mmCIF file of all heavy atoms in Angstrom:
data_model
loop_
_atom_site.group_PDB
_atom_site.id
_atom_site.type_symbol
_atom_site.label_atom_id
_atom_site.label_comp_id
_atom_site.label_asym_id
_atom_site.label_seq_id
_atom_site.Cartn_x
_atom_site.Cartn_y
_atom_site.Cartn_z
ATOM 1 N N SER B 179 -53.586 -30.788 -28.332
ATOM 2 C CA SER B 179 -54.433 -30.494 -29.496
ATOM 3 C C SER B 179 -54.298 -31.560 -30.579
ATOM 4 O O SER B 179 -55.125 -31.642 -31.477
ATOM 5 C CB SER B 179 -54.068 -29.123 -30.071
ATOM 6 O OG SER B 179 -52.702 -29.098 -30.439
ATOM 7 N N ARG B 217 -59.376 -28.104 -21.424
ATOM 8 C CA ARG B 217 -58.566 -27.071 -22.059
ATOM 9 C C ARG B 217 -57.624 -27.729 -23.062
ATOM 10 O O ARG B 217 -57.059 -28.777 -22.763
ATOM 11 C CB ARG B 217 -57.740 -26.313 -21.010
ATOM 12 C CG ARG B 217 -58.564 -25.333 -20.181
ATOM 13 C CD ARG B 217 -59.008 -24.143 -21.013
ATOM 14 N NE ARG B 217 -59.920 -23.284 -20.292
ATOM 15 C CZ ARG B 217 -59.543 -22.327 -19.445
ATOM 16 N NH1 ARG B 217 -58.266 -22.133 -19.206
ATOM 17 N NH2 ARG B 217 -60.437 -21.579 -18.862
ATOM 18 N N ARG B 218 -57.486 -27.086 -24.215
ATOM 19 C CA ARG B 218 -56.626 -27.625 -25.260
ATOM 20 C C ARG B 218 -55.205 -27.112 -25.155
ATOM 21 O O ARG B 218 -54.995 -25.924 -24.914
ATOM 22 C CB ARG B 218 -57.163 -27.211 -26.639
ATOM 23 C CG ARG B 218 -58.349 -27.984 -27.112
ATOM 24 C CD ARG B 218 -58.939 -27.336 -28.355
ATOM 25 N NE ARG B 218 -59.712 -26.135 -28.029
ATOM 26 C CZ ARG B 218 -60.353 -25.414 -28.947
ATOM 27 N NH1 ARG B 218 -60.282 -25.732 -30.216
ATOM 28 N NH2 ARG B 218 -61.053 -24.350 -28.582
ATOM 29 N N GLY B 219 -54.249 -27.989 -25.366
ATOM 30 C CA GLY B 219 -52.871 -27.556 -25.498
ATOM 31 C C GLY B 219 -52.698 -26.963 -26.887
ATOM 32 O O GLY B 219 -53.667 -26.820 -27.632
ATOM 33 N N GLY B 221 -49.646 -27.742 -29.031
ATOM 34 C CA GLY B 221 -48.487 -28.280 -29.731
ATOM 35 C C GLY B 221 -47.150 -28.022 -29.081
ATOM 36 O O GLY B 221 -46.131 -27.983 -29.761
ATOM 37 N N LYS B 238 -50.799 -18.632 -20.418
ATOM 38 C CA LYS B 238 -49.477 -18.044 -20.671
ATOM 39 C C LYS B 238 -48.617 -18.982 -21.528
ATOM 40 O O LYS B 238 -49.024 -20.084 -21.856
ATOM 41 C CB LYS B 238 -48.763 -17.813 -19.331
ATOM 42 C CG LYS B 238 -49.522 -16.917 -18.374
ATOM 43 C CD LYS B 238 -48.781 -16.890 -17.052
ATOM 44 C CE LYS B 238 -49.589 -16.155 -15.981
ATOM 45 N NZ LYS B 238 -49.159 -16.571 -14.632
ATOM 46 N N GLN B 383 -30.380 -41.377 -33.878
ATOM 47 C CA GLN B 383 -31.375 -41.306 -32.800
ATOM 48 C C GLN B 383 -30.890 -40.388 -31.677
ATOM 49 O O GLN B 383 -31.666 -39.627 -31.107
ATOM 50 C CB GLN B 383 -31.666 -42.705 -32.246
ATOM 51 C CG GLN B 383 -32.318 -43.662 -33.240
ATOM 52 C CD GLN B 383 -33.561 -43.106 -33.926
ATOM 53 O OE1 GLN B 383 -33.617 -43.015 -35.142
ATOM 54 N NE2 GLN B 383 -34.548 -42.698 -33.152
ATOM 55 N N ASP C 51 -57.093 -16.433 -18.789
ATOM 56 C CA ASP C 51 -56.594 -17.810 -18.785
ATOM 57 C C ASP C 51 -57.134 -18.619 -19.964
ATOM 58 O O ASP C 51 -56.657 -19.714 -20.236
ATOM 59 C CB ASP C 51 -56.904 -18.515 -17.454
ATOM 60 C CG ASP C 51 -58.389 -18.541 -17.141
ATOM 61 O OD1 ASP C 51 -58.893 -17.549 -16.604
ATOM 62 O OD2 ASP C 51 -59.044 -19.557 -17.464
ATOM 63 N N GLU C 55 -57.534 -21.127 -25.749
ATOM 64 C CA GLU C 55 -58.813 -21.545 -26.325
ATOM 65 C C GLU C 55 -59.276 -20.519 -27.362
ATOM 66 O O GLU C 55 -59.750 -20.862 -28.440
ATOM 67 C CB GLU C 55 -59.874 -21.665 -25.227
ATOM 68 C CG GLU C 55 -59.640 -22.822 -24.262
ATOM 69 C CD GLU C 55 -59.847 -24.182 -24.915
ATOM 70 O OE1 GLU C 55 -60.852 -24.343 -25.629
ATOM 71 O OE2 GLU C 55 -59.003 -25.067 -24.714
ATOM 72 N N HIS C 58 -57.200 -20.799 -30.493
ATOM 73 C CA HIS C 58 -57.605 -21.987 -31.261
ATOM 74 C C HIS C 58 -58.869 -21.687 -32.067
ATOM 75 O O HIS C 58 -58.958 -21.992 -33.256
ATOM 76 C CB HIS C 58 -57.902 -23.159 -30.320
ATOM 77 C CG HIS C 58 -56.704 -24.002 -30.003
ATOM 78 N ND1 HIS C 58 -55.942 -24.616 -30.969
ATOM 79 C CD2 HIS C 58 -56.145 -24.348 -28.821
ATOM 80 C CE1 HIS C 58 -54.959 -25.297 -30.387
ATOM 81 N NE2 HIS C 58 -55.059 -25.148 -29.087
ATOM 82 N N ASP C 59 -59.864 -21.106 -31.400
ATOM 83 C CA ASP C 59 -61.133 -20.807 -32.075
ATOM 84 C C ASP C 59 -60.925 -19.805 -33.211
ATOM 85 O O ASP C 59 -61.487 -19.946 -34.292
ATOM 86 C CB ASP C 59 -62.156 -20.239 -31.075
ATOM 87 C CG ASP C 59 -62.710 -21.326 -30.163
ATOM 88 O OD1 ASP C 59 -62.237 -22.480 -30.280
ATOM 89 O OD2 ASP C 59 -63.594 -21.034 -29.342
ATOM 90 N N TYR C 93 -46.327 -21.302 -28.989
ATOM 91 C CA TYR C 93 -46.967 -22.578 -29.319
ATOM 92 C C TYR C 93 -46.910 -22.869 -30.820
ATOM 93 O O TYR C 93 -47.273 -22.028 -31.636
ATOM 94 C CB TYR C 93 -48.419 -22.563 -28.824
ATOM 95 C CG TYR C 93 -48.518 -22.508 -27.320
ATOM 96 C CD1 TYR C 93 -48.710 -21.292 -26.652
ATOM 97 C CD2 TYR C 93 -48.391 -23.657 -26.553
ATOM 98 C CE1 TYR C 93 -48.783 -21.236 -25.268
ATOM 99 C CE2 TYR C 93 -48.461 -23.612 -25.170
ATOM 100 C CZ TYR C 93 -48.661 -22.397 -24.526
ATOM 101 O OH TYR C 93 -48.723 -22.344 -23.153
ATOM 102 N N HIS C 94 -46.488 -24.117 -31.131
ATOM 103 C CA HIS C 94 -46.339 -24.508 -32.536
ATOM 104 C C HIS C 94 -47.659 -24.447 -33.313
ATOM 105 O O HIS C 94 -47.662 -24.266 -34.523
ATOM 106 C CB HIS C 94 -45.794 -25.933 -32.635
ATOM 107 C CG HIS C 94 -44.455 -26.120 -31.988
ATOM 108 N ND1 HIS C 94 -43.381 -25.320 -32.310
ATOM 109 C CD2 HIS C 94 -44.014 -26.976 -31.047
ATOM 110 C CE1 HIS C 94 -42.330 -25.705 -31.584
ATOM 111 N NE2 HIS C 94 -42.695 -26.704 -30.809
ATOM 112 N N ASP C 95 -48.778 -24.629 -32.630
ATOM 113 C CA ASP C 95 -50.064 -24.724 -33.332
ATOM 114 C C ASP C 95 -50.473 -23.439 -34.053
ATOM 115 O O ASP C 95 -51.146 -23.487 -35.069
ATOM 116 C CB ASP C 95 -51.191 -25.062 -32.346
ATOM 117 C CG ASP C 95 -51.267 -26.551 -32.068
ATOM 118 O OD1 ASP C 95 -50.392 -27.283 -32.568
ATOM 119 O OD2 ASP C 95 -52.190 -26.979 -31.349
#
Side-chain angles (χ1 to χ4, degrees):
Chain B
S179 58
R217 285 290 173 84
R218 283 170 284 182
K238 302 174 188 158
Q383 295 308 122
Chain C
D51 58 277
E55 291 291 315
H58 271 303
D59 286 4
Y93 294 97
H94 300 306
D95 277 5

